[in-house]
Amino acid sequence: MRRVLLCALLSGCVSSSPGALPPIKGPAQARSADADVLEPLRPASGRFALVGGTILDGLGGRIEGGTVLVEDGRITAVGPEVDVPSEMRTYDARGQFITPGIVDTHSHMGVYPVPFVPAHADGNELTDPTTPYVFSEHAFWPQDPALQAAVIGGVTTIQVLPGSGNVIGGRSVVLKLRPRRAARAMRFPGAPFGLKMACGENPKRVYGEKGRQPGSRMGNIYKLRQAFIEAQAYRRAQREYRDEFEAWKKKHDAAAEDPKAPRPGEEPKSPKRDLGKETLAQVLEGDIRVHIHCYRADEMLQMIALGDELGYQVTAFHHAVEAYKIADVLAERGIHAAVWADWWGFKVEAYDSTEANAAILSKLGGKPNIHSDSPIGVQRLNQEAAKAMAAGRHHGLETGPAEAIQWLTKNPAEALGVLEQTGTLEVGKMADIVSWDADPFSIYAKTTRVFIDGELVFDRGRSDERWSDFLVGSEVEEDAP
């Protein structure tokens, strides 16, 4: 009797009772972008209004003397005539410009942090040309001093990518630049993961110099095709297992309800979990976005054709100095081009460039994103966009600030799958907002305040704060222009 009572108290003994069915193991779960974090974000609670500024809303609109109202971290009103509750805190934005927070689709901050030393070089897993199983999030250092400098430059959201040494570099992660103790706590809520891929010179150089495959562009394509064909087989096996499991579970549930029902037999065994193939299978399912480091137009077309063959959709080509040559194809496919304003010529595949790249893409219906790929450039993306505007104007492609701000906000937010939440100043969106002391496309413009989720994370009036412990006790001086 004593043993029976003891067994009744121990959950492990329940399955040993006569007629009981063993517990269900079920399919292994893939890594979720919405998984709980150890340090969840504090709920937004700020209520304030930016009043009297020139608003570039990211939708192509320009509002003079406008007001942006924020409550509980969300935008509740935008326009020239907005009633501001008397008890609400107001910021005088007269003479200033108000824009959405800048979104940088291509960053290595945190995985190649400042100062750059070998101990900090964690962006490339150069042990195999295809490493879809690694996550940039796992190497990200939240104490990187470059992060605060980026925010001071008006950047509120970044995509942190692995480097381009591998044909498949691994998963990227989208982060909001609120200071936190862990990368996972900085994740943009609900943002999909990305997959970093690379074509061209980098992978063939890295592995060719080691006497390993790939040593040519042919080898690059082969390694990609091989990896995705294996992922297709893995996905088929997973689907077949899920179908078999669901059929078995129905029998199991029926037997659990009715002891006289036929026994379900042994639970089907799931295929052995493979983290790399799991990532690529999620790409094939459309759950992970594809971001490809690619310079030449012909290689971009090859990557599009390869995607058609293997079942993935290219979200964006990064660097893409020859994107202007295939602007019509990119526009038709809805593929983004994350480009610099004027970086070119540092290697052969980067030679055939034009500073009007972004303007050409924009005028032909494409989706240019001005990206940084640099802890220095990320501080001045507004100036990079201004250079791209000027180059377009020189070629007769007039682009105004209301359109060009989309290259920094709306388009990159769409590329990262977060446009429903940020990238434009619209009612209901996250209050990721920047105020500038001048037209943001002026070389003299500086941010005055930066808000992320309605939280004031930078105020030029109290700029002596240091986010990173690495900077505690240091003082940075900057000459006025």
Side-chain angles (χ1 to χ4, degrees), residues 235-256:
R235 183 172 66 153
R236 282 194 299 272
Q238 291 286 356
R239 285 178 170 178
E240 289 169 1
Y241 160 70
R242 283 196 293 268
D243 290 343
E244 187 179 356
F245 174 80
E246 288 302 322
W248 173 86
K249 189 174 182 301
K250 288 180 181 179
K251 295 179 181 178
H252 179 281
D253 292 345

PDB file of all heavy atoms in Angstrom, residues 235-256:
ATOM      1  N   ARG A 235      13.713  18.646 -45.458  1.00  0.00           N
ATOM      2  CA  ARG A 235      12.356  19.176 -45.289  1.00  0.00           C
ATOM      3  C   ARG A 235      11.310  18.119 -45.654  1.00  0.00           C
ATOM      4  O   ARG A 235      10.288  17.980 -44.972  1.00  0.00           O
ATOM      5  CB  ARG A 235      12.163  20.432 -46.152  1.00  0.00           C
ATOM      6  CG  ARG A 235      10.782  21.077 -45.966  1.00  0.00           C
ATOM      7  CD  ARG A 235      10.666  22.399 -46.662  1.00  0.00           C
ATOM      8  NE  ARG A 235      10.726  22.309 -48.094  1.00  0.00           N
ATOM      9  CZ  ARG A 235      10.165  23.183 -48.934  1.00  0.00           C
ATOM     10  NH1 ARG A 235       9.512  24.223 -48.458  1.00  0.00           N
ATOM     11  NH2 ARG A 235      10.273  23.037 -50.235  1.00  0.00           N
ATOM     12  N   ARG A 236      11.547  17.361 -46.734  1.00  0.00           N
ATOM     13  CA  ARG A 236      10.610  16.292 -47.107  1.00  0.00           C
ATOM     14  C   ARG A 236      10.495  15.265 -45.994  1.00  0.00           C
ATOM     15  O   ARG A 236       9.387  14.807 -45.647  1.00  0.00           O
ATOM     16  CB  ARG A 236      11.054  15.618 -48.412  1.00  0.00           C
ATOM     17  CG  ARG A 236      10.738  16.403 -49.664  1.00  0.00           C
ATOM     18  CD  ARG A 236      10.886  15.538 -50.905  1.00  0.00           C
ATOM     19  NE  ARG A 236      12.241  15.024 -51.068  1.00  0.00           N
ATOM     20  CZ  ARG A 236      13.217  15.665 -51.706  1.00  0.00           C
ATOM     21  NH1 ARG A 236      12.982  16.855 -52.251  1.00  0.00           N
ATOM     22  NH2 ARG A 236      14.424  15.123 -51.824  1.00  0.00           N
ATOM     23  N   ALA A 237      11.650  14.880 -45.429  1.00  0.00           N
ATOM     24  CA  ALA A 237      11.636  13.892 -44.345  1.00  0.00           C
ATOM     25  C   ALA A 237      10.876  14.436 -43.130  1.00  0.00           C
ATOM     26  O   ALA A 237      10.125  13.690 -42.485  1.00  0.00           O
ATOM     27  CB  ALA A 237      13.070  13.526 -43.959  1.00  0.00           C
ATOM     28  N   GLN A 238      11.063  15.716 -42.831  1.00  0.00           N
ATOM     29  CA  GLN A 238      10.352  16.320 -41.704  1.00  0.00           C
ATOM     30  C   GLN A 238       8.845  16.353 -41.955  1.00  0.00           C
ATOM     31  O   GLN A 238       8.049  16.083 -41.053  1.00  0.00           O
ATOM     32  CB  GLN A 238      10.879  17.750 -41.459  1.00  0.00           C
ATOM     33  CG  GLN A 238      12.300  17.814 -40.914  1.00  0.00           C
ATOM     34  CD  GLN A 238      12.383  17.408 -39.456  1.00  0.00           C
ATOM     35  OE1 GLN A 238      11.381  17.138 -38.813  1.00  0.00           O
ATOM     36  NE2 GLN A 238      13.590  17.335 -38.923  1.00  0.00           N
ATOM     37  N   ARG A 239       8.451  16.683 -43.184  1.00  0.00           N
ATOM     38  CA  ARG A 239       7.023  16.724 -43.512  1.00  0.00           C
ATOM     39  C   ARG A 239       6.405  15.333 -43.436  1.00  0.00           C
ATOM     40  O   ARG A 239       5.304  15.151 -42.910  1.00  0.00           O
ATOM     41  CB  ARG A 239       6.835  17.315 -44.916  1.00  0.00           C
ATOM     42  CG  ARG A 239       7.030  18.822 -44.991  1.00  0.00           C
ATOM     43  CD  ARG A 239       6.875  19.301 -46.414  1.00  0.00           C
ATOM     44  NE  ARG A 239       6.818  20.756 -46.489  1.00  0.00           N
ATOM     45  CZ  ARG A 239       6.729  21.440 -47.625  1.00  0.00           C
ATOM     46  NH1 ARG A 239       6.699  20.790 -48.784  1.00  0.00           N
ATOM     47  NH2 ARG A 239       6.675  22.757 -47.609  1.00  0.00           N
ATOM     48  N   GLU A 240       7.126  14.347 -43.985  1.00  0.00           N
ATOM     49  CA  GLU A 240       6.619  12.974 -43.934  1.00  0.00           C
ATOM     50  C   GLU A 240       6.478  12.513 -42.490  1.00  0.00           C
ATOM     51  O   GLU A 240       5.491  11.853 -42.129  1.00  0.00           O
ATOM     52  CB  GLU A 240       7.560  12.047 -44.709  1.00  0.00           C
ATOM     53  CG  GLU A 240       7.504  12.248 -46.217  1.00  0.00           C
ATOM     54  CD  GLU A 240       8.613  11.513 -46.943  1.00  0.00           C
ATOM     55  OE1 GLU A 240       9.419  10.836 -46.250  1.00  0.00           O
ATOM     56  OE2 GLU A 240       8.703  11.621 -48.189  1.00  0.00           O
ATOM     57  N   TYR A 241       7.466  12.866 -41.669  1.00  0.00           N
ATOM     58  CA  TYR A 241       7.382  12.502 -40.254  1.00  0.00           C
ATOM     59  C   TYR A 241       6.187  13.175 -39.581  1.00  0.00           C
ATOM     60  O   TYR A 241       5.452  12.527 -38.823  1.00  0.00           O
ATOM     61  CB  TYR A 241       8.676  12.884 -39.538  1.00  0.00           C
ATOM     62  CG  TYR A 241       8.500  12.986 -38.042  1.00  0.00           C
ATOM     63  CD1 TYR A 241       8.286  11.853 -37.265  1.00  0.00           C
ATOM     64  CD2 TYR A 241       8.506  14.229 -37.410  1.00  0.00           C
ATOM     65  CE1 TYR A 241       8.102  11.939 -35.889  1.00  0.00           C
ATOM     66  CE2 TYR A 241       8.322  14.332 -36.043  1.00  0.00           C
ATOM     67  CZ  TYR A 241       8.117  13.186 -35.283  1.00  0.00           C
ATOM     68  OH  TYR A 241       7.923  13.288 -33.937  1.00  0.00           O
ATOM     69  N   ARG A 242       5.975  14.471 -39.846  1.00  0.00           N
ATOM     70  CA  ARG A 242       4.855  15.182 -39.208  1.00  0.00           C
ATOM     71  C   ARG A 242       3.516  14.564 -39.611  1.00  0.00           C
ATOM     72  O   ARG A 242       2.606  14.425 -38.782  1.00  0.00           O
ATOM     73  CB  ARG A 242       4.904  16.669 -39.558  1.00  0.00           C
ATOM     74  CG  ARG A 242       5.948  17.438 -38.778  1.00  0.00           C
ATOM     75  CD  ARG A 242       5.716  18.932 -38.862  1.00  0.00           C
ATOM     76  NE  ARG A 242       5.930  19.442 -40.210  1.00  0.00           N
ATOM     77  CZ  ARG A 242       7.086  19.919 -40.646  1.00  0.00           C
ATOM     78  NH1 ARG A 242       8.146  19.916 -39.848  1.00  0.00           N
ATOM     79  NH2 ARG A 242       7.205  20.379 -41.872  1.00  0.00           N
ATOM     80  N   ASP A 243       3.386  14.194 -40.895  1.00  0.00           N
ATOM     81  CA  ASP A 243       2.150  13.547 -41.343  1.00  0.00           C
ATOM     82  C   ASP A 243       1.946  12.206 -40.626  1.00  0.00           C
ATOM     83  O   ASP A 243       0.835  11.890 -40.171  1.00  0.00           O
ATOM     84  CB  ASP A 243       2.182  13.314 -42.856  1.00  0.00           C
ATOM     85  CG  ASP A 243       2.088  14.622 -43.646  1.00  0.00           C
ATOM     86  OD1 ASP A 243       1.686  15.646 -43.053  1.00  0.00           O
ATOM     87  OD2 ASP A 243       2.423  14.612 -44.847  1.00  0.00           O
ATOM     88  N   GLU A 244       3.028  11.434 -40.531  1.00  0.00           N
ATOM     89  CA  GLU A 244       2.953  10.139 -39.865  1.00  0.00           C
ATOM     90  C   GLU A 244       2.643  10.333 -38.376  1.00  0.00           C
ATOM     91  O   GLU A 244       1.839   9.585 -37.792  1.00  0.00           O
ATOM     92  CB  GLU A 244       4.282   9.397 -40.044  1.00  0.00           C
ATOM     93  CG  GLU A 244       4.258   7.958 -39.537  1.00  0.00           C
ATOM     94  CD  GLU A 244       5.593   7.245 -39.752  1.00  0.00           C
ATOM     95  OE1 GLU A 244       6.500   7.854 -40.360  1.00  0.00           O
ATOM     96  OE2 GLU A 244       5.721   6.093 -39.298  1.00  0.00           O
ATOM     97  N   PHE A 245       3.260  11.344 -37.770  1.00  0.00           N
ATOM     98  CA  PHE A 245       3.038  11.610 -36.341  1.00  0.00           C
ATOM     99  C   PHE A 245       1.587  12.009 -36.079  1.00  0.00           C
ATOM    100  O   PHE A 245       0.975  11.549 -35.110  1.00  0.00           O
ATOM    101  CB  PHE A 245       3.990  12.708 -35.861  1.00  0.00           C
ATOM    102  CG  PHE A 245       3.727  13.148 -34.444  1.00  0.00           C
ATOM    103  CD1 PHE A 245       4.181  12.401 -33.371  1.00  0.00           C
ATOM    104  CD2 PHE A 245       3.000  14.304 -34.191  1.00  0.00           C
ATOM    105  CE1 PHE A 245       3.919  12.798 -32.071  1.00  0.00           C
ATOM    106  CE2 PHE A 245       2.735  14.709 -32.896  1.00  0.00           C
ATOM    107  CZ  PHE A 245       3.202  13.958 -31.830  1.00  0.00           C
ATOM    108  N   GLU A 246       1.039  12.888 -36.934  1.00  0.00           N
ATOM    109  CA  GLU A 246      -0.346  13.328 -36.729  1.00  0.00           C
ATOM    110  C   GLU A 246      -1.317  12.154 -36.838  1.00  0.00           C
ATOM    111  O   GLU A 246      -2.277  12.046 -36.063  1.00  0.00           O
ATOM    112  CB  GLU A 246      -0.710  14.416 -37.747  1.00  0.00           C
ATOM    113  CG  GLU A 246      -0.035  15.756 -37.488  1.00  0.00           C
ATOM    114  CD  GLU A 246      -0.352  16.325 -36.127  1.00  0.00           C
ATOM    115  OE1 GLU A 246      -1.516  16.182 -35.675  1.00  0.00           O
ATOM    116  OE2 GLU A 246       0.551  16.901 -35.487  1.00  0.00           O
ATOM    117  N   ALA A 247      -1.085  11.257 -37.810  1.00  0.00           N
ATOM    118  CA  ALA A 247      -1.949  10.081 -37.947  1.00  0.00           C
ATOM    119  C   ALA A 247      -1.825   9.181 -36.717  1.00  0.00           C
ATOM    120  O   ALA A 247      -2.828   8.667 -36.196  1.00  0.00           O
ATOM    121  CB  ALA A 247      -1.572   9.313 -39.212  1.00  0.00           C
ATOM    122  N   TRP A 248      -0.596   9.003 -36.247  1.00  0.00           N
ATOM    123  CA  TRP A 248      -0.389   8.177 -35.058  1.00  0.00           C
ATOM    124  C   TRP A 248      -1.027   8.818 -33.825  1.00  0.00           C
ATOM    125  O   TRP A 248      -1.634   8.133 -32.999  1.00  0.00           O
ATOM    126  CB  TRP A 248       1.112   7.999 -34.834  1.00  0.00           C
ATOM    127  CG  TRP A 248       1.440   7.308 -33.545  1.00  0.00           C
ATOM    128  CD1 TRP A 248       1.509   5.966 -33.316  1.00  0.00           C
ATOM    129  CD2 TRP A 248       1.726   7.932 -32.289  1.00  0.00           C
ATOM    130  NE1 TRP A 248       1.815   5.703 -32.005  1.00  0.00           N
ATOM    131  CE2 TRP A 248       1.952   6.902 -31.337  1.00  0.00           C
ATOM    132  CE3 TRP A 248       1.805   9.254 -31.867  1.00  0.00           C
ATOM    133  CZ2 TRP A 248       2.264   7.169 -30.018  1.00  0.00           C
ATOM    134  CZ3 TRP A 248       2.106   9.531 -30.548  1.00  0.00           C
ATOM    135  CH2 TRP A 248       2.328   8.493 -29.627  1.00  0.00           C
ATOM    136  N   LYS A 249      -0.929  10.148 -33.713  1.00  0.00           N
ATOM    137  CA  LYS A 249      -1.457  10.839 -32.530  1.00  0.00           C
ATOM    138  C   LYS A 249      -2.983  10.704 -32.445  1.00  0.00           C
ATOM    139  O   LYS A 249      -3.553  10.607 -31.353  1.00  0.00           O
ATOM    140  CB  LYS A 249      -1.055  12.314 -32.547  1.00  0.00           C
ATOM    141  CG  LYS A 249      -1.385  13.063 -31.240  1.00  0.00           C
ATOM    142  CD  LYS A 249      -0.828  14.464 -31.266  1.00  0.00           C
ATOM    143  CE  LYS A 249      -1.124  15.172 -29.946  1.00  0.00           C
ATOM    144  NZ  LYS A 249      -2.545  15.269 -29.636  1.00  0.00           N
ATOM    145  N   LYS A 250      -3.650  10.704 -33.599  1.00  0.00           N
ATOM    146  CA  LYS A 250      -5.104  10.499 -33.576  1.00  0.00           C
ATOM    147  C   LYS A 250      -5.449   9.135 -32.970  1.00  0.00           C
ATOM    148  O   LYS A 250      -6.379   9.007 -32.171  1.00  0.00           O
ATOM    149  CB  LYS A 250      -5.665  10.621 -35.000  1.00  0.00           C
ATOM    150  CG  LYS A 250      -5.674  12.044 -35.546  1.00  0.00           C
ATOM    151  CD  LYS A 250      -6.252  12.075 -36.957  1.00  0.00           C
ATOM    152  CE  LYS A 250      -6.240  13.504 -37.507  1.00  0.00           C
ATOM    153  NZ  LYS A 250      -6.767  13.554 -38.892  1.00  0.00           N
ATOM    154  N   LYS A 251      -4.701   8.109 -33.366  1.00  0.00           N
ATOM    155  CA  LYS A 251      -4.914   6.780 -32.801  1.00  0.00           C
ATOM    156  C   LYS A 251      -4.592   6.776 -31.301  1.00  0.00           C
ATOM    157  O   LYS A 251      -5.285   6.157 -30.500  1.00  0.00           O
ATOM    158  CB  LYS A 251      -4.050   5.751 -33.523  1.00  0.00           C
ATOM    159  CG  LYS A 251      -4.401   5.544 -34.982  1.00  0.00           C
ATOM    160  CD  LYS A 251      -3.475   4.513 -35.615  1.00  0.00           C
ATOM    161  CE  LYS A 251      -3.799   4.317 -37.081  1.00  0.00           C
ATOM    162  NZ  LYS A 251      -2.875   3.340 -37.718  1.00  0.00           N
ATOM    163  N   HIS A 252      -3.521   7.489 -30.945  1.00  0.00           N
ATOM    164  CA  HIS A 252      -3.115   7.565 -29.540  1.00  0.00           C
ATOM    165  C   HIS A 252      -4.206   8.226 -28.704  1.00  0.00           C
ATOM    166  O   HIS A 252      -4.580   7.731 -27.625  1.00  0.00           O
ATOM    167  CB  HIS A 252      -1.812   8.353 -29.430  1.00  0.00           C
ATOM    168  CG  HIS A 252      -1.313   8.526 -28.022  1.00  0.00           C
ATOM    169  ND1 HIS A 252      -1.824   9.465 -27.150  1.00  0.00           N
ATOM    170  CD2 HIS A 252      -0.346   7.859 -27.342  1.00  0.00           C
ATOM    171  CE1 HIS A 252      -1.198   9.377 -26.000  1.00  0.00           C
ATOM    172  NE2 HIS A 252      -0.290   8.416 -26.078  1.00  0.00           N
ATOM    173  N   ASP A 253      -4.747   9.347 -29.196  1.00  0.00           N
ATOM    174  CA  ASP A 253      -5.780  10.060 -28.445  1.00  0.00           C
ATOM    175  C   ASP A 253      -7.047   9.218 -28.314  1.00  0.00           C
ATOM    176  O   ASP A 253      -7.709   9.226 -27.265  1.00  0.00           O
ATOM    177  CB  ASP A 253      -6.098  11.390 -29.128  1.00  0.00           C
ATOM    178  CG  ASP A 253      -4.934  12.375 -29.059  1.00  0.00           C
ATOM    179  OD1 ASP A 253      -4.003  12.139 -28.255  1.00  0.00           O
ATOM    180  OD2 ASP A 253      -4.956  13.367 -29.812  1.00  0.00           O
ATOM    181  N   ALA A 254      -7.369   8.481 -29.384  1.00  0.00           N
ATOM    182  CA  ALA A 254      -8.562   7.621 -29.334  1.00  0.00           C
ATOM    183  C   ALA A 254      -8.378   6.516 -28.300  1.00  0.00           C
ATOM    184  O   ALA A 254      -9.291   6.192 -27.530  1.00  0.00           O
ATOM    185  CB  ALA A 254      -8.832   7.027 -30.714  1.00  0.00           C
ATOM    186  N   ALA A 255      -7.162   5.941 -28.256  1.00  0.00           N
ATOM    187  CA  ALA A 255      -6.890   4.876 -27.292  1.00  0.00           C
ATOM    188  C   ALA A 255      -6.865   5.410 -25.868  1.00  0.00           C
ATOM    189  O   ALA A 255      -7.234   4.704 -24.919  1.00  0.00           O
ATOM    190  CB  ALA A 255      -5.561   4.210 -27.630  1.00  0.00           C
ATOM    191  N   ALA A 256      -6.439   6.659 -25.701  1.00  0.00           N
ATOM    192  CA  ALA A 256      -6.410   7.258 -24.363  1.00  0.00           C
ATOM    193  C   ALA A 256      -7.818   7.479 -23.831  1.00  0.00           C
ATOM    194  O   ALA A 256      -8.066   7.372 -22.626  1.00  0.00           O
ATOM    195  CB  ALA A 256      -5.638   8.577 -24.405  1.00  0.00           C
TER     196      ALA A 256
END
